Amino acid sequence: MRFSAWRCVGRQRLQSSAGSGHRQLSASSPWQCPDLPPPDIPELLAPDGQSRAGRPDKRRPRQSSLLLFPGQGSQFVGMAEGLERYHSVRQMFEAAHKILGYDLLSLCVNGPQEELNKTVHCQPAVFVTSLAAVERLNSENPEAVERCVGAAGFSVGEFAALVFAGALDFAEALYAVKIRAEAMQEASDSIPSGMLSVVGRAEARYNFACLEAREHCKSLGLDNPVCEVASYLFPNGRVLAGHLQALEFLQKNSRKFHFSRTKLLPVSGAFHTRLMASATQPLQEVLKGISVEKPLISVYSNVDAKKYMHSKHIQQQLVKQLVSPVKWEQTLHAMYEREQGTDFPDTFEVGPGNQLGAMLKNCNLKAWRFYKHIDVKIKDLDEEE
């Protein structure tokens, strides 16, 4: 069974087939140079004469696009409604039914919300629905997909970004996401923990706040407490994660730590902290058994905000990501770095929610002006007839 081809970076065409790991480029692709990694986005959009030898012709920024894939927490009941009109989306959800053992499309469209919010369900749901959004974008604006020069995904969104970039096969990546979600759920169930979204003032010191929270937990008799930065979202925007007692302490003392806003996230554990250590081995094992190839376009790692270079690098970083903070703010800086006066590419957030757009607005207002969210729910079923 073959899913639709996603056209990336000019004349390049990627074809993924469920379960076969097949990946193919058209003969006219400018990226068929095995000794060269995908170029940095700033380099690809560099002024004349600044591209390295052996690279394909650069694109003007306004003739290029970037894709952002959301992560867990963006899910909502009703997502994917109407997207099954696309044959390739139906194929994806049919494959998901076989791989997961339950009707993912029905869960996405009909809920209930409490089931969809479970880590074991929402990670596959966000993964598949995000790639379904790419299919919608490809149907409505194929040039946006064809001229894509880079992608990034938040947490589990990295798997979708890597499928889009040709590094992972859809079916194999979904199976890896399934194992990842189950392992993270098991790790979460073993320790009462969570995640706290924080917006701080300029004088906020997040690491100091986490240290104080850990000391508080020790005073309660908790051994080896965890409280640390789990995500860098935008300037003065963080997600702190750890034991629930630590997060409760931070909320009660938010004024002391110069936090202007705090909110507990609807997740079951302290993701991207050392409390997820037990989840690393199952993911590592499954990644060893699937086909991983060099991305055809630049994809940036959450771990260090640097682009993936080769298959082993992808395997290593995806495992390390489970216990490392998501450096999303740093990733956006890396993707949109350019000389003053240079235009910005179009940016499409493909998947449920528009949180990544809000983060982009806080990080780079000029780049955000060229942002668009591709909705994963078609409200009017006749709108594309």
Side-chain angles (χ1 to χ4, degrees), residues 66-380:
L66 302 174
L67 265 58
L68 304 179
F69 294 82
Q72 183 172 347
S74 60
Q75 71 278 353
F76 63 91
V77 171
M79 66 182 191
E81 183 178 346
L83 294 180
E84 67 271 21
R85 67 173 51 204
Y86 303 113
H87 177 67
S88 53
V89 172
R90 292 197 300 274
Q91 286 184 302
M92 282 192 278
F93 277 105
E94 288 168 5
H97 197 159
K98 295 177 181 178
I99 294 165
L100 301 173
Y102 59 87
D103 190 343
L104 181 65
L105 179 60
S106 177
L107 181 60
C108 288
V109 174
N110 303 313
Q113 187 71 53
E114 56 269 24
E115 285 297 313
L116 183 59
N117 283 348
K118 291 181 179 179
T119 296
V120 292
H121 295 147
C122 72
Q123 288 194 19
V126 170
F127 169 81
V128 177
T129 306
S130 295
L131 291 171
V134 175
E135 291 296 342
R136 180 179 188 182
L137 177 62
N138 191 47
S139 174
E140 296 177 351
N141 185 1
E143 287 188 0
V145 176
E146 181 174 341
R147 54 192 174 86
C148 181
V149 298
F154 193 101
S155 191
V156 72
E158 263 191 17
F159 286 83
L162 288 165
V163 169
F164 174 74
L168 299 176
D169 170 75
F170 169 83
E172 291 181 336
L174 177 56
Y175 181 71
V177 168
K178 174 181 181 290
I179 298 301
R180 178 186 191 266
E182 291 171 350
M184 292 174 71
Q185 183 75 63
E186 185 175 346
S188 301
D189 291 342
S190 64
I191 300 175
S193 57
M195 306 184 80
L196 182 72
S197 176
V198 173
V199 177
R201 300 181 182 90
E203 60 269 32
R205 293 192 294 162
Y206 304 96
N207 290 330
F208 173 73
C210 288
L211 175 61
E212 291 276 292
R214 291 195 297 270
E215 291 299 319
H216 169 73
C217 289
K218 289 179 182 178
S219 73
L220 300 177
L222 190 64
D223 292 330
N224 196 23
V226 172
C227 184
E228 54 197 61
V229 177
S231 300
Y232 296 84
L233 305 179
F234 51 85
N236 295 318
R238 304 284 187 274
V239 173
L240 309 181
H243 287 90
L244 286 180
Q245 297 94 322
L247 303 184
E248 291 168 358
F249 172 81
L250 292 175
Q251 281 194 297
K252 290 179 181 178
N253 294 274
S254 59
R255 180 173 295 183
K256 172 184 175 181
F257 299 122
H258 306 288
F259 297 161
S260 57
R261 189 165 71 247
T262 63
K263 179 183 179 182
L264 280 171
L265 299 180
V267 296
S268 58
F271 305 148
H272 306 293
T273 72
R274 52 193 172 92
L275 289 179
M276 289 294 110
S278 63
T280 58
Q281 185 174 359
L283 179 59
Q284 187 175 40
E285 290 300 316
V286 75
L287 289 174
K288 287 180 181 178
I290 68 176
S291 175
V292 183
E293 301 188 40
K294 184 173 64 178
L296 303 172
I297 59 175
S298 294
V299 179
Y300 285 77
S301 168
N302 287 178
V303 173
D304 56 12
K306 296 180 181 179
K307 65 175 181 175
Y308 284 113
M309 301 300 293
H310 48 75
S311 59
K312 287 186 178 179
H313 188 214
I314 293 172
Q315 292 169 324
Q316 293 167 355
Q317 294 293 80
L318 286 178
V319 173
K320 190 175 181 180
Q321 185 218 73
L322 288 177
V323 293
S324 303
V326 174
K327 295 187 176 178
W328 189 253
E329 177 186 350
Q330 296 87 331
T331 296
L332 293 180
H333 288 318
M335 294 180 73
Y336 293 97
E337 180 185 6
R338 62 204 58 244
E339 292 184 356
Q340 187 173 1
T342 305
D343 287 333
F344 287 92
D346 290 325
T347 297
F348 297 92
E349 181 173 356
V350 281
N354 56 6
Q355 294 94 329
L356 300 185
M359 296 178 204
L360 177 59
K361 185 177 182 180
N362 278 283
C363 285
N364 193 321
L365 183 60
K366 291 182 179 179
W368 175 79
R369 290 177 179 141
F370 301 101
Y371 160 89
K372 182 179 180 181
H373 175 238
I374 304 303
D375 201 346
V376 294
K377 180 178 181 179
I378 299 178
K379 301 177 179 64
D380 180 3

